[in-house]
Amino acid sequence: MATFKAIRIDKADKGTTAALTQFDEAELMDGDVTVRVAWSTLNYKDGLALTGKAPVVRRFPMIAGIDFAGTVEQSSHPAWKSGDQVICTGWGMGETHLGGYAEKARVKGDWLVGLPDGLSAREAMAIGTAGFTAMLSVLALEKQGVTPQSGPVVVTGAAGGVGSVATSVLAKLGYHVIASTGRAAEADYLRHLGAAEVIDRNELSGAAKPLAKERWAGGVDSVGSTTLANVLSMTKYGGAIAACGLAAGMDLPGSVAPFILRGVSLLGIDSVMCPLTARKAAWARLAQDLDRPKLSEITHEIGFEQVMEMAPQILAGRIRGRLVVKIS
C-alpha cells in the first residue's frame, strides 16, 4: 500500500509529539472522497495542536491541519468526481479526523465545497479557515443589520489571520474600521488593508466596566476574554459583536449590562460544524468581496518542512496575515 508525507501527531508519556513523516494510506479514515492535497494553511488552532499547548487532538495517531485545498482523486459521492477542485475546512479535521497536513486526505463528500470560479487553490488556502471565519463574522453582522451607515466597527487581533481578512473585507464594503493590535509596528500594514483607525490593544485590556463610552456599532473579535468584555461595553445601542476566537482565553469577565441596557447582540461564530449552505455563501462572498492584490500582500508561503518551526510563532502572535503551506 502506498505511503505519503504527512505531519503526524502521536501520544507521548508527557503530552504529544509531532513530526513530518511517511503515513500509510491504509490508515486513512473512512470517507467517500479521496483528495490529492495541494495547499493548506497554518492557523492558530494548528499551532495549538502541533505544540500540544492545548488538548486540540482527540484521537491518535492524528494528521494535523484543519483545512486544505486540492484535487479529487477518487469519489463515490454523487456531488464529486475525479479532477474536481475542492476546499475542506473544519469538521474536526486535525482533531478527530485526519487532517490537511498530508499529501492525501480522505473525507466525507458532504464536507467539501467546490473551488469558486476565479479563485486558485493557493488563494483559497491563503484565505483558509481564518479568512472563512472572518467572512462568517461579516455575514453575521450584516444579518444583524450592522451596515456602514450604522457607525464604526472594531476588529481585534487585527494583524492576525482572521483580523487581517476581516479588516480588508469590511473596509472594501465601506465600513469605517477601527483595528486593534498589540503590535504598534503593524499600524501602516493595517491602514494599507483599509483600517481608518488603529488603536492599541491596551485600550481593551483592562478590567471591563459594565458600560463604557459608546465607540462602535459592531465588530469582529478573535481574542475573547477581557478584550471581548471591553468591546461589548463600548458597543453602541443596538449594535452587535461577532465572537470567533479565544486567543486571550475562553472566559468572559464582563456584565449583562450591554445586553439589557443597550440591546447589544453577541453573535457566536463557529467555522467547524457550520452548515454547508452557509459555507457556500461565505466562499462565494470571499471570491467576490476580498481584494485579491491585498490578499496576495498579506500572504506568506512556507514549505511543508517549515510548518513545525512556525507553529510556536503563530501562538506567540508573531505572524502577520496568512501563512499558506505548499503541500504538493
Side-chain angles (χ1 to χ4, degrees):
M1 186 65 71
T3 62
F4 53 88
K5 284 197 302 182
I7 295 180
R8 173 174 171 149
I9 300 177
D10 287 286
K11 190 74 173 174
D13 290 338
K14 293 184 178 180
T16 61
T17 62
L20 179 60
T21 185
Q22 290 292 316
F23 199 90
D24 195 322
E25 188 173 345
E27 293 188 66
L28 284 175
M29 297 172 69
D30 290 342
D32 48 13
V33 180
T34 302
V35 179
R36 171 63 63 175
V37 179
W39 298 92
S40 186
T41 63
L42 182 62
N43 298 284
Y44 190 85
K45 186 183 284 187
D46 296 317
L48 292 174
L50 292 166
T51 61
K53 295 290 186 182
V56 171
V57 179
R58 296 184 176 88
R59 79 173 294 278
F60 298 94
M62 174 56 63
I63 293 176
I66 64 172
D67 50 21
F68 68 76
T71 305
V72 172
E73 281 194 343
Q74 295 178 320
S75 173
S76 59
H77 190 283
W80 308 108
K81 65 183 185 302
S82 177
D84 285 343
Q85 300 290 300
V86 294
I87 303 166
C88 193
T89 63
W91 299 115
M93 286 197 306
E95 301 176 68
T96 58
H97 192 93
L98 300 179
Y101 290 158
E103 293 177 312
K104 190 169 290 191
R106 183 176 297 139
V107 296
K108 296 180 180 179
D110 290 341
W111 294 358
L112 299 171
V113 174
L115 187 69
D117 290 341
L119 198 67
S120 70
R122 185 185 186 279
E123 287 176 320
M125 285 297 99
I127 296 166
T129 294
F132 171 62
T133 302
M135 181 53 80
L136 289 176
S137 300
V138 172
L139 292 175
L141 292 175
E142 291 179 344
K143 184 176 180 180
Q144 195 63 27
V146 179
T147 69
Q149 291 70 42
S150 302
V153 291
V154 65
V155 176
T156 66
V162 174
S164 292
V165 177
T167 298
S168 180
V169 169
L170 287 166
K172 187 178 179 184
L173 292 172
Y175 290 86
H176 179 103
V177 179
I178 301 174
S180 168
T181 181
R183 294 178 270 174
E186 303 293 7
D188 288 343
Y189 163 77
L190 292 169
R191 290 192 180 93
H192 180 66
L193 289 183
E197 301 177 51
V198 179
I199 63 173
D200 193 292
R201 69 181 176 196
N202 288 332
E203 294 187 35
L204 305 173
S205 63
K209 298 177 180 179
L211 289 176
K213 181 180 178 181
E214 295 175 276
R215 298 180 65 176
W216 33 71
V220 176
D221 174 66
S222 61
V223 179
S225 191
T226 302
T227 294
L228 177 55
N230 275 291
V231 166
L232 289 166
S233 75
M234 300 175 187
T235 301
K236 294 183 177 183
Y237 190 93
I241 302 297
C244 60
L246 44 67
M250 294 183 66
D251 60 326
L252 183 56
S255 163
V256 298
F259 310 122
I260 64 175
L261 297 180
R262 287 184 181 163
V264 170
S265 296
L266 179 58
L267 311 175
I269 306 301
D270 168 53
S271 63
V272 177
M273 305 304 291
C274 175
L276 190 58
T277 51
R279 289 174 184 271
K280 291 179 178 179
W283 280 106
R285 284 288 300 275
L286 282 162
Q288 171 186 312
D289 293 334
L290 188 57
D291 188 312
R292 300 292 179 79
K294 287 183 179 177
L295 174 64
S296 178
E297 290 172 14
I298 70 173
T299 300
H300 306 280
E301 182 180 319
I302 62 174
F304 212 170
E305 298 76 11
Q306 296 173 273
V307 172
M308 296 295 300
E309 68 180 84
M310 298 305 295
Q313 302 297 316
I314 198 167
L315 297 185
R318 297 182 186 135
I319 303 299
R320 170 205 278 185
R322 304 289 295 125
L323 282 179
V324 63
V325 181
K326 187 175 184 179
I327 302 295
S328 62

